[in-house]
Amino acid sequence: MYGLYDKEGILRFVDSDKDACIAYAELFELDSTNYCLIDLANDTKK
């Protein structure tokens, strides 16, 4: 699970796909200096 935070530290998008988070940033014209992509949790199988 990935979370995309803007430069103000506000969570803008959460998805299990890293590319989807990057596409979201591109959609709103956020360049890589204006957001941070963080791996929130590893997938675990039960």
Side-chain angles (χ1 to χ4, degrees):
M1 185 70 63
Y2 295 92
L4 186 136
Y5 292 82
D6 69 11
K7 69 180 182 178
E8 302 297 322
I10 297 171
L11 178 62
R12 295 289 182 176
F13 190 74
V14 175
D15 198 285
S16 60
D17 182 11
K18 180 180 177 181
D19 292 332
C21 289
I22 293 170
Y24 179 88
E26 291 172 354
L27 177 68
F28 290 97
E29 299 178 352
L30 299 172
D31 61 30
S32 61
T33 60
N34 289 323
Y35 71 84
C36 179
L37 185 61
I38 297 175
D39 186 1
L40 298 176
N42 293 328
D43 290 338
T44 58
K45 294 184 179 182
K46 293 182 180 180

